[in-house]
mmCIF file of all heavy atoms in Angstrom:
data_model
loop_
_atom_site.group_PDB
_atom_site.id
_atom_site.type_symbol
_atom_site.label_atom_id
_atom_site.label_comp_id
_atom_site.label_asym_id
_atom_site.label_seq_id
_atom_site.Cartn_x
_atom_site.Cartn_y
_atom_site.Cartn_z
ATOM 1 N N LYS A 14 20.770 36.881 13.914
ATOM 2 C CA LYS A 14 22.212 37.141 13.946
ATOM 3 C C LYS A 14 22.944 36.012 14.662
ATOM 4 O O LYS A 14 24.017 35.572 14.235
ATOM 5 C CB LYS A 14 22.477 38.477 14.646
ATOM 6 C CG LYS A 14 22.088 39.694 13.810
ATOM 7 C CD LYS A 14 22.309 40.983 14.592
ATOM 8 C CE LYS A 14 21.867 42.188 13.758
ATOM 9 N NZ LYS A 14 22.020 43.458 14.522
ATOM 10 N N SER A 70 -13.263 14.649 22.833
ATOM 11 C CA SER A 70 -12.499 14.026 23.926
ATOM 12 C C SER A 70 -11.309 13.212 23.433
ATOM 13 O O SER A 70 -10.349 12.996 24.169
ATOM 14 C CB SER A 70 -13.416 13.119 24.759
ATOM 15 O OG SER A 70 -13.975 12.112 23.932
ATOM 16 N N ASP A 181 -27.151 -11.257 12.590
ATOM 17 C CA ASP A 181 -27.813 -10.580 11.481
ATOM 18 C C ASP A 181 -26.853 -9.557 10.857
ATOM 19 O O ASP A 181 -26.046 -8.949 11.560
ATOM 20 C CB ASP A 181 -29.073 -9.876 11.989
ATOM 21 C CG ASP A 181 -29.904 -9.309 10.847
ATOM 22 O OD1 ASP A 181 -30.655 -10.066 10.221
ATOM 23 O OD2 ASP A 181 -29.758 -8.095 10.575
ATOM 24 N N GLY A 187 -17.463 -3.029 11.143
ATOM 25 C CA GLY A 187 -16.129 -3.113 10.558
ATOM 26 C C GLY A 187 -16.044 -2.285 9.303
ATOM 27 O O GLY A 187 -16.810 -1.329 9.109
ATOM 28 N N ASP A 192 -11.825 0.166 -2.298
ATOM 29 C CA ASP A 192 -11.236 1.381 -2.899
ATOM 30 C C ASP A 192 -10.503 0.972 -4.173
ATOM 31 O O ASP A 192 -9.307 0.705 -4.157
ATOM 32 C CB ASP A 192 -10.293 2.040 -1.889
ATOM 33 C CG ASP A 192 -9.535 3.220 -2.474
ATOM 34 O OD1 ASP A 192 -9.843 3.634 -3.606
ATOM 35 O OD2 ASP A 192 -8.621 3.721 -1.794
ATOM 36 N N MET A 198 -3.981 2.848 -9.706
ATOM 37 C CA MET A 198 -2.828 3.749 -9.582
ATOM 38 C C MET A 198 -1.569 3.017 -9.154
ATOM 39 O O MET A 198 -0.500 3.249 -9.707
ATOM 40 C CB MET A 198 -3.136 4.843 -8.550
ATOM 41 C CG MET A 198 -3.988 5.976 -9.056
ATOM 42 S SD MET A 198 -4.038 7.271 -7.805
ATOM 43 C CE MET A 198 -5.673 7.033 -7.151
ATOM 44 N N GLY A 235 -4.872 6.011 1.085
ATOM 45 C CA GLY A 235 -3.671 6.642 0.571
ATOM 46 C C GLY A 235 -2.437 5.830 0.911
ATOM 47 O O GLY A 235 -1.357 6.060 0.377
ATOM 48 N N GLU A 407 -1.142 24.006 7.074
ATOM 49 C CA GLU A 407 -1.636 24.943 6.061
ATOM 50 C C GLU A 407 -0.936 24.712 4.712
ATOM 51 O O GLU A 407 -1.593 24.678 3.660
ATOM 52 C CB GLU A 407 -1.419 26.376 6.524
ATOM 53 C CG GLU A 407 -1.725 27.459 5.496
ATOM 54 C CD GLU A 407 -3.194 27.618 5.184
ATOM 55 O OE1 GLU A 407 -4.040 27.047 5.911
ATOM 56 O OE2 GLU A 407 -3.524 28.336 4.201
ATOM 57 N N LYS A 513 -25.595 -7.126 -16.315
ATOM 58 C CA LYS A 513 -25.948 -6.511 -17.602
ATOM 59 C C LYS A 513 -26.890 -5.323 -17.435
ATOM 60 O O LYS A 513 -27.139 -4.593 -18.395
ATOM 61 C CB LYS A 513 -26.582 -7.553 -18.526
ATOM 62 C CG LYS A 513 -25.643 -8.690 -18.911
ATOM 63 C CD LYS A 513 -26.367 -9.770 -19.713
ATOM 64 C CE LYS A 513 -25.413 -10.927 -20.031
ATOM 65 N NZ LYS A 513 -26.104 -12.032 -20.743
ATOM 66 N N LEU A 528 -25.022 -20.697 -1.556
ATOM 67 C CA LEU A 528 -25.105 -22.012 -2.192
ATOM 68 C C LEU A 528 -23.744 -22.655 -2.388
ATOM 69 O O LEU A 528 -23.622 -23.705 -2.995
ATOM 70 C CB LEU A 528 -25.826 -21.872 -3.545
ATOM 71 C CG LEU A 528 -27.308 -21.458 -3.461
ATOM 72 C CD1 LEU A 528 -27.839 -21.030 -4.824
ATOM 73 C CD2 LEU A 528 -28.143 -22.613 -2.893
ATOM 74 N N VAL A 532 -15.207 -18.095 -4.746
ATOM 75 C CA VAL A 532 -14.792 -16.730 -5.080
ATOM 76 C C VAL A 532 -14.448 -16.637 -6.566
ATOM 77 O O VAL A 532 -14.826 -15.676 -7.248
ATOM 78 C CB VAL A 532 -13.589 -16.311 -4.216
ATOM 79 C CG1 VAL A 532 -12.959 -15.020 -4.740
ATOM 80 C CG2 VAL A 532 -14.002 -16.132 -2.759
ATOM 81 N N GLY A 563 27.680 13.895 -13.055
ATOM 82 C CA GLY A 563 29.043 14.009 -12.569
ATOM 83 C C GLY A 563 29.428 12.978 -11.530
ATOM 84 O O GLY A 563 30.583 12.953 -11.078
ATOM 85 N N ARG A 583 25.227 -3.741 -29.885
ATOM 86 C CA ARG A 583 23.956 -3.312 -29.278
ATOM 87 C C ARG A 583 24.134 -3.164 -27.777
ATOM 88 O O ARG A 583 25.094 -3.695 -27.184
ATOM 89 C CB ARG A 583 22.821 -4.286 -29.591
ATOM 90 C CG ARG A 583 22.990 -5.687 -28.986
ATOM 91 C CD ARG A 583 21.837 -6.573 -29.413
ATOM 92 N NE ARG A 583 21.916 -7.918 -28.856
ATOM 93 C CZ ARG A 583 20.985 -8.485 -28.099
ATOM 94 N NH1 ARG A 583 19.893 -7.800 -27.779
ATOM 95 N NH2 ARG A 583 21.116 -9.718 -27.673
ATOM 96 N N GLY A 640 15.289 -9.466 -14.960
ATOM 97 C CA GLY A 640 15.266 -9.023 -13.574
ATOM 98 C C GLY A 640 13.895 -9.289 -12.990
ATOM 99 O O GLY A 640 12.899 -8.757 -13.476
ATOM 100 N N ASN A 688 20.236 -21.619 -10.361
ATOM 101 C CA ASN A 688 20.925 -20.881 -11.434
ATOM 102 C C ASN A 688 20.601 -19.393 -11.499
ATOM 103 O O ASN A 688 20.793 -18.769 -12.551
ATOM 104 C CB ASN A 688 20.673 -21.538 -12.793
ATOM 105 C CG ASN A 688 21.225 -22.951 -12.860
ATOM 106 O OD1 ASN A 688 22.336 -23.200 -12.390
ATOM 107 N ND2 ASN A 688 20.448 -23.877 -13.402
ATOM 108 N N ASN A 713 29.165 -13.533 -19.083
ATOM 109 C CA ASN A 713 28.384 -14.631 -19.664
ATOM 110 C C ASN A 713 28.627 -14.736 -21.173
ATOM 111 O O ASN A 713 28.796 -15.826 -21.724
ATOM 112 C CB ASN A 713 26.899 -14.409 -19.372
ATOM 113 C CG ASN A 713 26.061 -15.640 -19.627
ATOM 114 O OD1 ASN A 713 26.460 -16.743 -19.281
ATOM 115 N ND2 ASN A 713 24.895 -15.458 -20.214
#
Side-chain angles (χ1 to χ4, degrees):
K14 287 177 182 177
S70 60
D181 188 81
D192 174 9
M198 281 188 255
E407 173 70 11
K513 296 174 183 177
L528 294 167
V532 168
R583 65 182 181 122
N688 298 317
N713 194 42

